[in-house]
Amino acid sequence: MAPPPARRPRRRAIRRARSSLLVGSRDRSAEDWWWDRLAPSGSEYHLMQADSMLLVLPGLGPSRARAHRRASRRAQRPPPSGSVAAAKPRPRPRPEPAPAPEQGPDAGWGDRIPLEVLVEIFGLLVAADGPMPFLGRAARVCRRWHEAASQPALWHTVTLSPPLAGRAVKGNVKAEKKLLASLEWLMPNRFSQLQRLTLIHWKSQVHPVLKSSCCPHLQVLEVSTSINHNNTPLQLPIEALQKGCPQLQVLRLLNLTWLPKPSGRGVALGPGFPSLEELCLASSTCNFVSNEVLGRLLHGSPNLRLLDLRGCTRITPAGLHDLPCPELEQLHLGLYGVSDRLTLVKEGSSLLTQKWYHTLRELDLSGQGFSEKDLEQALAAFSGTPSGSHPALCSLNLRATRVTPNTVSTVVSSCPSLLYLNLESCRCLPRGLKRAYRGVEEVQWCLEQLLTSHASPS
């Protein structure tokens, strides 16, 4: 049954109103939809649109003019049917003027900070974490930061460690090439005032870095690699390093399997290291350091105080005796992890103590194969000091040597300042005394046990 004729116009008006609402919702842009969701009216939030971002900021402020858009959308809606359709149309409000856009942050704010203040701030960060990688990143912020990050005062101490050290990665070769390229730029441009350079866990990059002709103020150079028996031998340019770093005071080459570059026949020695006080060539594996190499390194170093040659099996006492270093205080000749060296009897340890008995404070002969008689003559030099004076020896490491009880008693009695005595694995000592002694009380206890003990050597 068809509906009454009076209801048909009303239903048609409702359908037209619904269709117009759907059309209006489709015409609404996505920007208006997001704008209403981010900062709805009455929420006390306003929006600020920048070049590449949209900020939602709390508090009172200019918001987007939405009243005139909402009024225009209400005006476009069709009047509802019935009595509402017969109502008078509301007056259309006048559009509010659009607010003036806020000014964004000043692009030149970095130029307003005085350079001295910026350098002082960078100096605090460098003192805590070092210049790398902070200064490299800060230099890319703006021109003023680049100028501040380039100040030589911030580049006195540098510690570098290559990425992915000790790990086998497919892209490791590419990373090493990139690192070398960075170093080639850093050395002439940033290392002119460098005083301390430390390279940790380095491998193939050592040789380019040691070309330090651009570091005339360098005082400390330390290069170390991981304990790995497969390291490629390094050729160290001794004479070039002496010319490029005339003020070097500390040279440490740790765990490096290095082969010094031959000087050639008839080639004069380099200028040496006149300010060198510490030389460390310690290695966990055998290296190629010989008496000739040591002479090339130290021929011009009269102020040497510390000499660490642990693992350097080719160095002999005669070669050490010829060094022009009259006031050596610490001498480390220990061989660690090489038990078969004990069967190779060596001679000449007395040459070391006769030369430096009056200045030596630390002596390490661990693992050296000197005979009982040779060690007795060597350590007897500490008891031949003039009357009224005592040796300065405070640390003595005789681990895994052929030292006898009488020799130990003599050296302990002659050195009242002895604070450390290592007698581990000494085959000629009683079993209960083969250990390390720390402190004056323990060392004196060891002396008492040696003097009162009549047990045969085990």
Side-chain angles (χ1 to χ4, degrees), residues 37 43 72 87 137 165 174-175 213 251 268 280 313 318 343 377 383 447:
R37 295 302 186 275
S43 63
S72 61
R137 296 170 179 173
K174 184 177 180 180
S213 58
L251 176 60
C280 181
T313 57
T343 60
Q377 295 176 356
S383 59
L447 176 61

Side-chain angles (χ1 to χ4, degrees), residues 4-16 81-82:
R7 295 183 180 180
R8 291 179 181 177
R10 183 176 180 182
R11 289 184 178 180
R12 292 175 183 174
I14 293 175
R15 291 175 184 174
R16 285 195 295 268
S81 59

Side-chain angles (χ1 to χ4, degrees), residues 12-50:
R12 292 175 183 174
I14 293 175
R15 291 175 184 174
R16 285 195 295 268
R18 290 179 179 177
S19 61
S20 62
L21 288 175
L22 292 175
V23 173
S25 61
R26 293 193 188 102
D27 294 341
R28 188 180 183 189
S29 64
E31 180 183 1
D32 295 335
W33 187 87
W34 276 106
W35 204 285
D36 293 336
R37 295 302 186 275
L38 292 175
S41 59
S43 63
E44 297 185 356
Y45 282 82
H46 65 276
L47 302 179
M48 183 176 71
Q49 186 173 5

Side-chain angles (χ1 to χ4, degrees), residues 353-396:
T353 55
Q354 291 174 3
K355 183 179 178 64
W356 293 304
Y357 74 90
H358 62 290
T359 58
L360 272 179
R361 298 176 59 252
E362 298 183 15
L363 177 61
D364 180 9
L365 300 177
S366 174
Q368 292 287 350
F370 298 114
S371 63
E372 295 90 337
K373 187 65 175 179
D374 196 79
L375 285 174
E376 182 181 358
Q377 295 176 356
L379 298 179
F382 294 103
S383 59
T385 56
S387 58
S389 61
H390 299 286
L393 189 67
C394 60
S395 176
L396 180 60

Side-chain angles (χ1 to χ4, degrees), residues 66-364:
R66 294 177 293 211
H68 65 281
R69 294 200 309 274
R70 292 180 179 177
S72 61
R73 287 198 294 269
R74 293 194 197 101
Q76 294 176 1
R77 294 176 183 175
S81 59
S83 59
V84 180
K88 296 182 179 180
R90 297 180 180 179
R92 184 175 182 180
R94 297 180 181 180
E96 298 180 1
E102 283 190 349
Q103 294 183 355
D106 188 4
W109 64 271
D111 295 335
R112 299 180 181 179
I113 302 178
L115 182 62
E116 295 79 6
V117 176
L118 199 58
V119 172
E120 188 70 20
I121 296 174
F122 285 3
L124 297 176
L125 298 174
V126 168
D129 302 325
M132 298 296 293
F134 166 71
L135 291 182
R137 296 170 179 173
R140 296 193 292 266
V141 173
C142 61
R143 293 183 179 180
R144 176 57 62 89
W145 282 41
H146 182 276
E147 184 181 1
S150 305
Q151 296 299 314
L154 301 176
W155 293 89
H156 285 170
T157 303
V158 175
T159 300
L160 298 178
S161 178
L164 308 177
R167 291 184 291 174
V169 184
K170 294 182 179 179
N172 199 12
V173 177
K174 184 177 180 180
E176 288 185 1
K177 292 182 179 180
K178 184 178 180 180
L179 181 61
L180 286 177
S182 301
L183 287 174
E184 290 179 358
W185 182 88
L186 280 173
M187 295 186 69
N189 293 279
R190 293 291 182 270
F191 290 176
S192 60
Q193 299 294 325
L194 193 62
Q195 297 180 4
R196 186 185 184 99
L197 176 60
T198 303
L199 310 177
I200 303 175
H201 291 295
W202 286 64
K203 296 180 180 179
S204 60
Q205 305 94 343
V206 174
H207 188 268
V209 172
L210 290 182
K211 297 178 181 178
S212 305
S213 58
C214 60
C215 303
H217 303 285
L218 190 65
Q219 299 178 4
V220 179
L221 176 60
E222 180 177 347
V223 182
S224 65
T225 60
S226 58
I227 302 177
N228 188 355
H229 296 275
N230 297 324
N231 286 341
T232 304
L234 164 72
Q235 278 198 342
L236 178 67
I238 297 177
E239 285 73 21
L241 190 63
Q242 291 173 345
K243 293 179 181 178
C245 306
Q247 299 184 17
L248 197 65
Q249 299 178 6
V250 177
L251 176 60
R252 302 189 186 111
L253 304 178
L254 308 177
N255 291 324
L256 291 181
T257 306
W258 60 291
L259 178 63
K261 189 175 182 180
S263 58
R265 296 182 179 180
V267 179
L269 294 174
F273 298 110
S275 302
L276 193 66
E277 299 180 0
E278 177 183 340
L279 175 62
C280 181
L281 304 178
S283 175
S284 59
T285 59
C286 296
N287 52 38
F288 300 94
V289 180
S290 61
N291 293 335
E292 185 266 340
V293 172
L294 198 61
R296 289 168 56 189
L297 280 169
L298 299 176
H299 72 90
S301 305
N303 301 319
L304 191 70
R305 297 292 184 270
L306 187 151
L307 182 59
D308 191 347
L309 300 175
R310 286 173 290 182
C312 301
T313 57
R314 301 190 179 191
I315 299 295
T316 64
L320 294 172
H321 186 268
D322 295 336
L323 295 176
C325 310
E327 298 183 354
L328 194 65
E329 298 179 358
Q330 301 180 43
L331 178 60
H332 301 274
L333 300 176
L335 301 178
Y336 296 89
V338 192
S339 58
D340 57 341
R341 299 290 177 185
L342 294 175
T343 60
L344 303 178
V345 179
K346 296 182 180 180
E347 302 292 338
S349 60
S350 58
L351 296 175
L352 307 177
T353 55
Q354 291 174 3
K355 183 179 178 64
W356 293 304
Y357 74 90
H358 62 290
T359 58
L360 272 179
R361 298 176 59 252
E362 298 183 15
L363 177 61
D364 180 9

Side-chain angles (χ1 to χ4, degrees), residues 396-451:
L396 180 60
N397 191 342
L398 299 174
R399 188 188 69 87
T401 61
R402 292 184 172 90
V403 65
T404 61
N406 292 334
T407 303
V408 176
S409 302
T410 302
V411 70
V412 173
S413 302
S414 304
C415 302
S417 302
L418 198 61
L419 300 176
Y420 176 78
L421 177 63
N422 193 338
L423 301 177
E424 296 176 351
S425 304
C426 292
R427 61 180 63 183
C428 298
L429 296 180
R431 186 179 301 275
L433 299 179
K434 298 178 182 181
R435 65 183 185 89
Y437 301 88
R438 296 174 175 85
V440 177
E441 295 182 357
E442 292 189 7
V443 173
Q444 292 301 318
W445 181 88
C446 176
L447 176 61
E448 294 175 0
Q449 297 298 317
L450 289 173
L451 293 176

